[in-house]
Amino acid sequence: MKGVKLISREEAVKRAEHIAEEYGAIYGLNFRIERRFVPLEKVFPTQAELREEKLLVVLQEIKHGYDAPLIVIPYGGSYYLLDGHHRAFALRELGFREAEALVLVPDSPIVLGVVRTARKMGMKKLEDMKIRRG
């Protein structure tokens, strides 16, 4: 399955740090990164589609120990996915109830653009994402 590259745990941490810096600049807040396990039923997607080819690779790799954490931001008792949509969906499909995540926690409450976008798209659970073939 060419064209599918999965990020490592280390790359996920770097990506979370980069997103925290970007959000800090955009919103004028500090974001700390906490590592914790989050219930998948409380993880909301912020994109509408998954690529079938990548999803199949992720499903196989998780079965063989692939464990890059999700990157999420908390809001209203839920966690909005910033990175790791294929991983979250695959974990749910494989029967996992929770996933390791890097949680970006703002130092003040804020409604982020990704929250508004997810709500506008009607994304309330991982199963709301469509799987795109080809």
Side-chain angles (χ1 to χ4, degrees):
M1 304 223 176
K2 68 176 191 177
V4 175
K5 180 183 179 326
L6 304 182
I7 70 168
S8 67
R9 291 182 68 76
E10 296 77 20
E11 290 169 323
V13 170
K14 287 179 185 166
R15 194 172 285 180
E17 290 168 349
H18 180 74
I19 294 169
E21 285 177 22
E22 280 186 341
Y23 275 26
I26 293 168
Y27 295 102
L29 297 171
N30 290 315
F31 288 80
R32 72 180 182 281
I33 300 171
E34 296 179 2
R35 191 178 304 248
R36 55 174 109 139
F37 283 85
V38 298
L40 286 168
E41 68 186 19
K42 293 187 177 259
V43 172
F44 289 13
T46 58
Q47 70 184 43
E49 292 184 345
L50 299 172
R51 283 184 25 236
E52 181 184 46
E53 178 185 30
K54 184 172 181 178
L55 181 59
L56 292 172
V57 171
V58 172
L59 281 162
Q60 275 304 107
E61 292 302 315
I62 288 172
K63 290 176 187 176
H64 296 288
Y66 178 59
D67 65 349
L70 309 177
I71 302 173
V72 300
I73 193 152
Y75 182 78
S78 297
Y79 298 91
Y80 287 80
L81 260 174
L82 302 177
D83 190 76
H85 287 78
H86 289 82
R87 295 189 301 276
F89 190 91
L91 287 165
R92 179 81 178 215
E93 286 296 301
L94 292 169
F96 287 81
R97 298 177 63 93
E98 59 182 19
E100 182 183 6
L102 301 171
V103 182
L104 277 59
V105 182
D107 61 5
S108 298
I110 185 170
V111 180
L112 298 165
V114 293
V115 172
R116 287 192 292 271
T117 300
R119 287 180 174 171
K120 197 180 298 183
M121 291 188 310
M123 295 288 165
K124 296 182 179 166
K125 58 187 183 290
L126 294 171
E127 294 82 3
D128 289 338
M129 291 184 289
K130 305 284 185 257
I131 298 172
R132 181 172 39 103
R133 291 167 175 32

